[in-house]
Amino acid sequence: MKFPPHHGSIASLTPTICHLLGISPPEVSAEPALDMVISTLEENSLPFEKCLIIAQDAIGAHLWKSHESDLNKILPLVPLRVPLRAAFPPVTPVCFASIFSGAQPEVHGIQSFIKPVLSCDTLFDALARANKKVAIVAVVDSCIDLIFRNRDVTYFSEKDDKSVKEKVLEVIEGDEYDVIITYQADYDDNLHKTEPYSPVCIASLRQHIKDFTEMTKAANQHWGDKRHVIAFTPDHGAHVNDAGKGDHGIDIPEDMDIYHCYGIYMP
């Protein structure tokens, strides 16, 4: 599968979600909202009421090329598949800082594999100003668990991917939050131990797809009477390095080419 021309940067997530929710984006957000998503909206459909963002680490376009039949299983739920470019360098905290601020690394300040609490304006600050209730459900000590602290957000720090999924299902059913962000890491963890197409990595990919499907279907069930959006927002891809291990962090298509996928739901 040939990767199509980029529609922009992964930092487009923040302005796109802000547009859908009818709120002002963060001060540092410089990316436009994705026209491929906005153009699907029906007249008088805004603002949306609920949002679920599922961020699974390192599910790059390299996997759409090698395991398209597996990843195609998510498309009935999030059919708007947008080709994007990762932030550079394509490492996890750099990329997620861009995804959730709408800014490039030289603006938000994370330009290497470090996990400081961001001081810039982010999606979470914009949501708080709009009185939106937000939950972040992430693997403990991951970048998403750490770099967006000190906001008006409820943080659920879970021991592993399975616990993350179970907590997300619980949070969705409790129906206290307008926006839920969830992060899982097994595929990325395993690619660094082996290589991106090893049996253990592909097993992790398939579990990510199952978890994505379960969380998305739960949101659709509980939010069926509300306008809501589901977004699949990985951070970067991966390649095999000279030592034969999985890696990422350089400006090559395997690391930089990303698909974000959106599902727009209106009762």
Side-chain angles (χ1 to χ4, degrees), residues 107-230:
V107 176
H108 61 63
I110 299 181
Q111 301 188 63
S112 62
F113 195 88
I114 56 175
K115 302 178 185 179
V117 175
L118 280 179
S119 59
C120 72
D121 207 28
T122 68
L123 174 62
F124 306 108
D125 301 292
L127 291 168
R129 287 192 292 271
N131 296 316
K132 301 293 185 182
K133 291 196 67 176
V134 181
I136 296 178
V137 187
V139 176
V140 65
D141 292 333
S142 65
C143 74
I144 289 187
D145 185 45
L146 297 176
I147 70 174
F148 303 110
R149 291 281 169 169
N150 301 338
R151 269 85 184 179
D152 187 11
V153 168
T154 302
Y155 302 92
F156 297 97
S157 303
E158 303 299 321
K159 65 179 181 178
D160 55 24
D161 279 7
K162 181 180 179 181
S163 299
V164 167
K165 182 200 71 173
E166 290 171 350
K167 178 58 70 174
V168 169
L169 296 177
E170 178 185 320
V171 169
I172 290 170
E173 185 174 2
D175 202 25
E176 293 182 29
Y177 297 95
D178 305 302
V179 178
I180 303 167
I181 291 88
T182 179
Y183 169 81
Q184 295 176 304
D186 275 359
Y187 175 78
D188 183 73
D189 288 345
N190 285 317
L191 77 85
H192 289 291
K193 298 173 186 175
T194 58
E195 53 85 16
Y197 311 103
S198 68
V200 68
C201 278
I202 300 312
S204 295
L205 169 66
R206 289 171 176 158
Q207 187 61 52
H208 282 322
I209 292 167
K210 290 179 181 178
D211 288 351
F212 176 88
T213 300
E214 189 172 352
M215 290 185 285
T216 298
K217 287 184 174 179
N220 287 340
Q221 176 185 347
H222 287 281
W223 300 345
D225 61 342
K226 298 177 175 66
R227 295 184 297 277
H228 65 279
V229 57
I230 311 289

Side-chain angles (χ1 to χ4, degrees), residues 228-240:
H228 65 279
V229 57
I230 311 289
F232 168 78
T233 63
D235 50 347
H236 54 70
H239 67 276
V240 179

Side-chain angles (χ1 to χ4, degrees), residues 3 6 10 58-61 64 82-86 233-237 253-260:
F3 193 76
H6 299 106
I10 56 173
I59 312 298
W64 286 92
V82 189
L84 300 168
R85 183 171 170 81
T233 63
D235 50 347
H236 54 70
E254 289 89 343
D255 289 11
M256 296 295 293
D257 289 347
I258 294 291
Y259 287 106
H260 281 185

Side-chain angles (χ1 to χ4, degrees), residues 64 68-78 206 209-210 212-213:
W64 286 92
E68 185 177 13
S69 61
D70 288 305
L71 281 159
N72 276 346
K73 293 175 182 177
I74 74 171
L75 291 181
L77 297 168
V78 282
R206 289 171 176 158
I209 292 167
K210 290 179 181 178
F212 176 88
T213 300

Side-chain angles (χ1 to χ4, degrees), residues 25-31 97 100-104 107-108 120-123:
E27 294 173 2
V28 297
S29 179
E31 297 292 320
F100 292 113
S101 68
Q104 293 302 315
V107 176
H108 61 63
C120 72
D121 207 28
T122 68
L123 174 62

